[in-house]
Amino acid sequence: MTTGSSDNSSTPPSEPAAQPPGGRRRWNSATFVALAVAVVGAVAAAVLSPLGEHVVNAVLDEPTCPGEACEGKNPGRQGCDEGATTFKPAAGNPAELSIRYSKDCQAVWGKIEHGAKGDLVTVEATGGTERAAEIGYGDDQYTPMVRVGDGEFEVTACAVPKAGGESTYEHYCIRGTEATAWR
């Protein structure tokens, strides 16, 4: 007689693992905390991104930086482009230079359309800061904002073609004040 047997009929069949009531698995506290941290992190990353910042500003319907706090910032990311008005001369404007003004943000910025890579757009408030931006790709660009306050102001925006570049226009500027016909 041998002690080993190849007959497995004496081994009881394995039973499935017990399921909690309702057939659902329960999360342990570590899994729940990890999931909560992931969700909070994803929401924070979305809100802190430039697009998230713009969405939050649009929902709040007010700029995040009125006055001095807007100096040097991107108007789109701060909510200043919503409701901003534009001065864009119709004649003698080969690169379609314009000045954008947000009364709520108390700031202006220059914008160029139909320029070429390497062209600059500048904006300067009299007695204030000058800002510039270069077209990196495409044919348009806008500057960071310059604070003008909520009273009288005078601002100058210029289109500066890149030396030896593709643009056919010459350096030119436009001027605006708080009394300009902003549209």
Side-chain angles (χ1 to χ4, degrees):
M1 185 165 190
T2 57
T3 55
S5 169
S6 62
D7 183 16
N8 289 336
S9 62
S10 63
T11 309
S14 61
E15 294 184 24
Q19 296 257 338
R24 295 186 189 165
R25 290 187 176 185
R26 296 193 186 267
W27 291 356
N28 63 28
S29 60
T31 303
F32 181 75
V33 168
L35 180 61
V37 167
V39 168
V40 169
V43 169
V47 168
L48 296 176
S49 73
L51 178 59
E53 187 177 350
H54 180 74
V55 169
V56 168
N57 291 341
V59 168
L60 296 176
D61 199 33
E62 59 186 55
T64 60
C65 68
E68 190 68 36
C70 287
E71 185 67 45
K73 293 189 177 177
N74 180 314
R77 291 184 183 158
Q78 301 304 313
C80 295
D81 59 344
E82 301 294 325
T85 54
T86 303
F87 170 61
K88 183 177 188 177
N93 194 358
E96 293 192 35
L97 182 61
S98 61
I99 302 170
R100 302 269 292 151
Y101 170 52
S102 171
K103 187 172 186 171
D104 291 340
C105 291
Q106 301 172 10
V108 297
W109 58 98
K111 182 175 180 181
I112 186 173
E113 298 174 273
H114 305 295
K117 186 176 179 179
D119 290 357
L120 291 177
V121 57
T122 65
V123 66
E124 179 179 17
T126 302
T129 310
E130 180 178 0
R131 300 284 177 188
E134 180 179 324
I135 298 176
Y137 61 91
D139 66 355
D140 63 332
Q141 184 61 276
Y142 57 90
T143 68
M145 291 184 284
V146 172
R147 180 184 185 277
V148 293
D150 59 358
E152 295 180 7
F153 66 86
E154 184 176 339
V155 63
T156 302
C158 298
V160 184
K162 177 181 177 181
E166 298 175 14
S167 292
T168 57
Y169 67 90
E170 294 184 20
H171 176 204
Y172 71 99
C173 300
I174 60 174
R175 289 173 180 71
T177 69
E178 76 288 344
T180 296
W182 301 97
R183 292 188 242 169

